[in-house]
Amino acid sequence: MTQPKRNARRVALVSEHASPLAELGGPDAGGQNVYVAQLARTLALRGHDVTVYTRRDDPRAPETVRTPQGVKVVHVPAGPPTAVPKDELFAHMPEFGAHLARMWRHRRPDVVHAHFWMSGLAALTGSRDTGIPVVQTYHALGTVKRRHQGTEDTSPRERVGLEARIGIEADAVIATCADEVRELVAMGVPRDRIDVVPCGVDTSHFSPRPGARRPKGAPRRLLAVGRLVPRKGFDRAIRALAEVSDAELLIAGGPEAELLFADPEAERLRKIASEHGVAERVRMLGCVPQHQMPDLVAGADLLLSLPRYEPFGIAPVEAMACGTPVVATAVGGQLDTVVDGVTGVHVPPLDEADHDLAGVIRSLLDDPARLARYGAAGRTHALARFTWDEVADGVARVYSRLCSRSLPSEVAR
């Protein structure tokens, strides 16, 4: 049998609403699910004993599931065993944390890594008085959401205060970008407890596909990817398209294509496209299966990532991994991921000074050599900084620092 790797640890990942087993595309299934699944997989392949604790949202789900890579997924009973919007899960976190405490008394992990603020609450409850170090990754911060959404923010009112408390009580906080570090420090989280480790992308899946490029003479293709919510800035992309001739805009995200007619944001975007005379050049694809995304991304001339705010933003990283240049608003994680003038171009957010977005797009489309240069640099950048091995290296360094004062538990053979 395979012997455990030296310094292998028992790692508990807590992800209360984002299961690594979930099918992507639902309202609360996205980047965090991918992050937890890929981190767990990579750590397990390195010999660590990894368990992911997520809330049971289906009465038919078994108590535990073992993935092909050896990751154990535990479905924690907390609240009704049905789908519940994540903003309504706060009331069930004491039950979630109490269940973790019972499990960890029986089998103590070496380190706990919580994902999202409610997972942090449960992890701190489950590890109280045990000496188990707790690492927190927020994935998104309530302070940022409230600042930008105001009265439309549906998060529990306690969120902002509790996020600060979690950051202060956790043994370490992993931020995904420099902008998040600034937010955390402003919240009172000690700077010396914060490490920056970006999100990752599967660079073997998202890779250049020469055959996906548009044939000569076809309309130039702009692509925007993300959930269909106003903050993503798809409306801005549509308005810019009106001033970019011989180009089409594809928007990937939201419900399945046949359900787009009932989606309020899709309807709003359709109206904007009609008002600006580009309805024939805007195609809304709905939810695109993950196995089709690399061809879609690699076949675009430009990815437009224009959110008003973005905690990290994985779409630009996936585009760079495919060799596709990016036009991105200079916000959040995009300040770190997209290198202005090297892998793409930064533009101001919508609510800043007037900016000629269409002019930026035209200048790039009219310069094939520049597009090729940005695309090649993007692929190199993604391989250097955003592979899951790189992410796992950064996370494991944090775990090792916290566990250095005690020997790791013997990993089950």
Side-chain angles (χ1 to χ4, degrees):
M1 293 182 120
T2 302
Q3 295 297 309
K5 182 181 176 181
R6 186 174 178 268
N7 293 328
R9 305 187 189 282
R10 282 182 179 156
V11 179
L13 304 181
V14 183
S15 182
E16 96 296 344
H17 76 273
S19 169
L21 305 177
E23 187 172 335
L24 300 182
D28 291 329
Q32 184 177 325
N33 303 73
V34 173
Y35 183 103
V36 172
Q38 290 285 3
L39 177 62
R41 174 184 181 277
T42 307
L43 291 173
L45 290 174
R46 293 180 175 197
H48 298 287
D49 181 8
V50 183
T51 303
V52 180
Y53 297 88
T54 192
R55 196 187 73 87
R56 179 190 294 275
D57 61 4
D58 184 339
R60 299 164 298 178
E63 182 180 347
T64 63
V65 175
R66 183 77 68 169
T67 73
Q69 295 78 30
V71 176
K72 185 163 78 168
V73 179
V74 175
H75 292 113
V76 175
T82 57
V84 176
K86 69 181 178 186
D87 286 335
E88 298 175 18
L89 291 176
F90 174 52
H92 304 301
M93 288 306 100
E95 184 182 2
F96 197 116
H99 189 85
L100 293 179
R102 290 191 294 272
M103 296 195 79
W104 292 345
R105 279 196 296 269
H106 173 67
R107 191 171 186 269
R108 183 187 189 278
D110 295 306
V111 62
V112 173
H113 188 173
H115 298 270
F116 202 60
W117 69 280
M118 284 186 281
S119 295
L121 289 177
L124 288 170
T125 297
S127 64
R128 188 165 292 130
D129 301 324
T130 65
I132 303 170
V134 174
V135 180
Q136 175 68 35
T137 296
Y138 289 96
H139 294 279
L141 287 170
T143 53
V144 178
K145 188 176 181 184
R146 191 158 296 176
R147 183 184 311 137
H148 288 274
Q149 294 192 2
T151 57
E152 295 180 4
D153 180 11
T154 57
S155 301
R157 59 181 175 81
E158 299 93 341
R159 176 176 178 173
V160 171
L162 288 173
E163 281 185 337
R165 195 198 91 192
I166 292 164
I168 291 168
E169 292 186 12
D171 296 278
V173 174
I174 293 179
T176 58
C177 64
D179 189 63
E180 187 181 355
V181 173
R182 290 187 284 270
E183 291 284 344
L184 290 167
V185 170
M187 289 162 51
V189 179
R191 178 62 185 89
D192 61 1
R193 280 198 225 155
I194 305 172
D195 291 84
V196 178
V197 181
C199 297
V201 65
D202 184 344
T203 53
S204 61
H205 183 58
F206 286 92
S207 59
R209 311 284 176 97
R213 290 294 178 193
R214 307 281 287 155
K216 194 170 183 179
R220 294 170 295 183
R221 177 168 290 177
L222 309 176
L223 175 66
V225 178
R227 291 188 298 126
L228 286 187
V229 291
R231 76 171 180 88
K232 289 294 187 179
F234 298 136
D235 52 351
R236 190 179 181 193
I238 292 171
R239 293 185 182 98
L241 183 68
E243 300 177 45
V244 180
S245 62
D246 190 30
E248 62 180 359
L249 171 65
L250 274 56
I251 300 175
E256 294 179 5
E258 58 267 26
L259 300 178
L260 282 172
F261 72 94
D263 186 274
E265 180 64 4
E267 179 60 25
R268 186 179 79 91
L269 296 175
R270 278 192 291 266
K271 287 181 179 177
I272 292 171
S274 180
E275 290 166 0
H276 286 76
V278 294
E280 298 294 320
R281 294 195 284 138
V282 175
R283 280 203 286 150
M284 303 188 68
L285 307 178
C287 180
V288 176
Q290 277 296 296
H291 71 274
Q292 296 178 9
M293 285 300 296
D295 281 338
L296 179 66
V297 175
D301 294 289
L302 273 177
L303 179 89
L304 305 183
S305 184
L306 306 172
R308 297 181 179 90
Y309 73 93
E310 189 64 76
F312 182 77
I314 199 64
V317 183
E318 291 172 343
M320 290 188 295
C322 289
T324 300
V326 181
V327 174
T329 43
V331 295
Q334 296 187 155
L335 288 163
D336 288 7
T337 55
V338 179
V339 184
D340 188 34
V342 178
T343 69
V345 176
H346 282 155
V347 296
L350 184 60
D351 55 1
E352 289 192 2
D354 190 30
H355 184 268
D356 185 11
L357 173 61
V360 171
I361 295 170
R362 287 195 306 269
S363 69
L364 286 166
L365 293 178
D366 292 341
D367 191 345
R370 188 179 174 201
L371 284 179
R373 188 168 66 249
Y374 283 3
R379 175 67 180 174
T380 299
H381 187 48
L383 290 172
R385 289 204 56 201
F386 302 112
T387 67
W388 282 109
D389 275 330
E390 286 292 318
V391 173
D393 284 346
V395 170
R397 281 193 291 270
V398 177
Y399 294 172
S400 294
R401 186 177 73 239
L402 297 179
C403 296
S404 60
R405 289 171 292 182
S406 60
L407 294 173
S409 302
E410 182 182 356
V411 177
R413 287 167 169 73

